[in-house]
Each structure stands twice: as structure tokens, then as C-alpha cells.
Amino acid sequence: MSKQVRVLVTGAGGFIGHHLTKYLVEHGYWVRGVDIKEPEYEPTPADEFSLLDLTRWENCLQATEGVDEVYGLAANMGGIGFIENHKAEIVRDNTLMNLQSIEAARANGVKRYLYTSSACIYPGYLQDKTDVTPLREEDAYPADAEDGYGWEKLYMERVCRHYTEDFGLDTRVVRFHNIFGPLGTYDGGREKSPAAICRKVALASGDDEIEVWGDGEQTRSYCYIDDCVEGIYRLMRSDHRDPINLGQDRMISINELVDIVSCIAGKTICKRYDLTKPQGVRGRNSDNTRLREVLKWEPQISLEEGLDRTYRWIADQLQGHVDRAVAVPMTVTS
Ligand code: NAD
């Protein structure tokens, strides 16, 4: 019988890390999950789960001990509102945890290390109009990454390359483009646009208006979580070491996103624009040529299908809060 592969998922209490943990356990891996918090919405299926702060060296050593592979998903991050307003905190925490995690993996003889980068590494000058050309991996240079969060990601991509070339640690680097789905943060300030819009639409009554950041004409592509996890796994199993995009290549505006979610909810929603709120780059889309070539695969789940599942999950969560709020006083008075 072949030996069971032992893997570490960092950030296993977070959105993508939790989904990935479920996928890997289902595929027969022994999984250690590490995070500073447990998954918020359901228990982890990890074989072992440790609450560890990976900005500390001794915790990185403990986390990477005795595993064959590391999936590095831990990060201090959030949507555009969060990353534009917490640059020092993001750069400090992510530099500490990523650099120490990869060094600890090397010191512990880990064979393969996956680093989760972002479309935020792409230069601002290629994303200044709504009908932007999809971004190819080689467009990353000359660099002009998203201030703070994006520069740290770009730097860590290079660290991975150096660790492969100089230390022989096999690395994979994936650049996510707006991943969304159930079990993702939908309130509290760190949520991304699809979850925020689902929440606002779910809370709105029939013909209410919701607030949209900017003029709503900014464009993005969105990738459903199940496709993201499948792509991560295929990349880890491939022999491709250079950075690769993982996203959908259907670009839509935020206004269109609101309209799709409103349609799913069966509501007529008006938009109120707040031009003072952060919007990020004007347009962004993923060029998936390399993804198709390398993985012989591309994301399968349509935006409508993914948003339908996500909207229903968020609406259920919000309904659960209402039910609990109603139930509490009844319990007290009875
Ligand atoms: P997430 O915030 O849901 O998960 C990150 C997890 O890291 C959280 O559970 C958090 O508690 C944990 N963490 C933070 N600080 C830590 C510390 N000091 N020690 C240990 N754990 C710590 O985010 P996600 O969406 O699951 O993102 C996973 C990875 O993918 C990150 O590297 C992120 O930058 C990257 N990424 C995500 C997206 C996206 O659309 N979700 C896009 C681009 C890149």
C-alpha cells in the first residue's frame, strides 16, 4: 500500500483554505490545518488542526514538521476597502508569515510548497480602463503592483523562485482572480464584492436601493470556489513552477454583477453610487491561455450558477441571524 501523503494547509480556518482542506481529505490526504482561528461556519475536517500564529518562527517550524507538502493560504487580507486602508499591517504580517513559512518548510525537508499569489500583482498601468485586455502572466513586469498587498505578493513569488533555484525546494505559484462562494466572509469589513453585493441584496426589500462603491462600471472576472480548489490541486500535481493565473475569463461590471444577483433574488434593486469609496483598478480580467495549456483544464462553473449557490448560502445565514435574534427573547421570557 502506498504511503499516505501528509500535507499542511495554512489558513485552513479561512475561506479557500477550509474548502481545500475538505477537498484534500476527500482525496485521501492526511491534512494538518493551521490558522489563528477555526473555520467560522462549519467544523474543520482536517486530521489535525492547530491554532498557531504563523508570524512567529517557532510556530512555522511546528506547523511544517513531518509533512510532505505545504499549501500556503494564510494571509492577512480582505476586499479592496480593507487592503487600501491596512497596508502596513498587511505587509508586516504577510511578509513575516510567508517568509518564515517557506524557510521552515525548507528546514523541515518539505518536498513541495504552493504559494497563493493574486491578480493584485499586475501593473496598474494595464488596468486603467473598463474594457481592459486580459492579463497574461508575463505582464507582471515592469512591475507596478497594488500598493502594499500586491507588492508583498510579487516579492514572495520571487522568493519562491529563489528557493527552487538555490535550495531545490519545489514551488508552485498561483495567481487567484476574485474567488467567491459559500462559507466566505460576507460582512465585517473584509468581504469581497460578490459576497457584499449578495448580502446587500438579501437584506434589501423588494424595490429598495443598495449602495455600490464607485460608479459600478469597473470590471472584474469572478471564479467559483470549487473551480479554484480543483485548479490548485491540478497545479500542485503538475510540474509547472512559474506563476499561473487561476480565474474565470468572463469579465463583467459591478453593475452587471448587482443585476445578476438581483435577478437570482427575484428583487428589483436600484443602485446608489458612492464615488468616495475605494474601487481598485478600473478593469481586470484573466488570460487563461497558460492555465489551459498547463492544466488541460479551465474553470467550469458559470458565474450565474456560482452566484446562485453563494446568494442562497448568504441569505440563509442572514435568515439564521434573524431567527436566532427572535428566538433569544422568547427563551428569556418563557
Ligand atoms: P481568508 O482571509 O479567508 O483566509 C486567510 C486565513 O489566514 C484566515 O483564516 C486567517 O485567520 C489566516 N491568518 C491570518 N493571519 C494569520 C497568522 N498570523 N497565522 C496563521 N493564520 C493566519 O482568505 P482567502 O480568500 O481564503 O485567501 C487565501 C489565500 O489566497 C491568501 O493568500 C490570499 O491572499 C489569496 N488570494 C485570495 C483571493 C480571493 O479572491 N479570495 C484573491 C487573490 C489571492
Side-chain angles (χ1 to χ4, degrees), residues 9-23 32-46 49-52 54 71-78 97 116 176 179 181-186 190 192 225 228-229 232 313:
V9 176
T10 75
F15 169 49
I16 304 174
H18 175 64
H19 280 278
L20 180 66
T21 300
K22 289 207 286 191
Y23 181 100
R32 175 183 298 145
V34 164
D35 203 301
I36 44 170
K37 66 173 175 69
E38 308 221 356
E40 268 166 79
Y41 309 106
E42 62 181 27
T44 181
F49 190 93
S50 304
L51 290 173
L52 292 175
L54 294 173
Y71 292 82
L73 287 102
N76 186 350
M77 57 98 67
M97 75 179 104
T116 50
F176 294 143
I179 313 301
L183 308 179
T185 303
Y186 59 87
R190 288 181 185 248
K192 312 279 183 58
I225 182 68
C228 170
V229 166
I232 293 173
W313 179 78

Side-chain angles (χ1 to χ4, degrees), residues 167-180:
F167 296 143
L169 174 60
D170 203 11
T171 55
R172 302 285 178 271
V173 175
V174 60
R175 293 178 183 157
F176 294 143
H177 289 247
N178 297 312
I179 313 301
F180 75 100

Side-chain angles (χ1 to χ4, degrees), residues 121-169:
I121 63 94
Y122 285 112
Y125 59 79
L126 294 179
Q127 305 174 82
D128 56 2
K129 54 183 193 296
T130 54
D131 61 339
V132 69
T133 305
L135 295 157
R136 299 163 308 160
E137 286 77 0
E138 52 272 35
D139 291 333
Y141 297 95
D144 175 23
E146 176 82 38
D147 209 6
Y149 177 73
W151 276 105
E152 190 276 338
K153 292 279 186 205
L154 195 59
Y155 164 73
M156 270 311 297
E157 288 192 358
R158 298 188 78 94
V159 170
C160 289
R161 198 180 82 199
H162 301 317
Y163 267 64
T164 300
E165 288 173 354
D166 294 358
F167 296 143
L169 174 60

Side-chain angles (χ1 to χ4, degrees), residues 249-305:
D249 53 5
R250 173 179 165 199
M251 189 169 73
I252 64 159
S253 69
I254 296 292
N255 285 327
E256 290 170 302
L257 189 66
V258 174
D259 292 343
I260 296 172
V261 175
S262 305
C263 180
I264 289 168
K267 296 181 183 182
T268 311
I269 300 285
C270 296
K271 307 172 192 89
R272 178 172 25 91
Y273 299 106
D274 187 343
L275 302 180
T276 66
K277 290 281 169 47
Q279 309 174 37
V281 293
R282 191 65 177 149
R284 174 179 288 159
N285 194 8
S286 173
D287 182 317
N288 285 349
T289 310
R290 190 175 295 173
L291 180 81
R292 284 189 287 269
E293 271 169 20
V294 170
L295 303 187
K296 312 280 181 262
W297 168 90
E298 64 188 311
Q300 304 287 313
I301 298 162
S302 73
L303 182 62
E304 282 78 5
E305 174 64 30

Side-chain angles (χ1 to χ4, degrees), residues 101-120:
S101 293
I102 195 170
E103 171 58 13
R106 182 199 69 79
N108 274 321
V110 167
K111 295 187 195 72
R112 194 167 288 184
Y113 189 98
L114 177 127
Y115 176 63
T116 50
S117 185
S118 164
C120 289

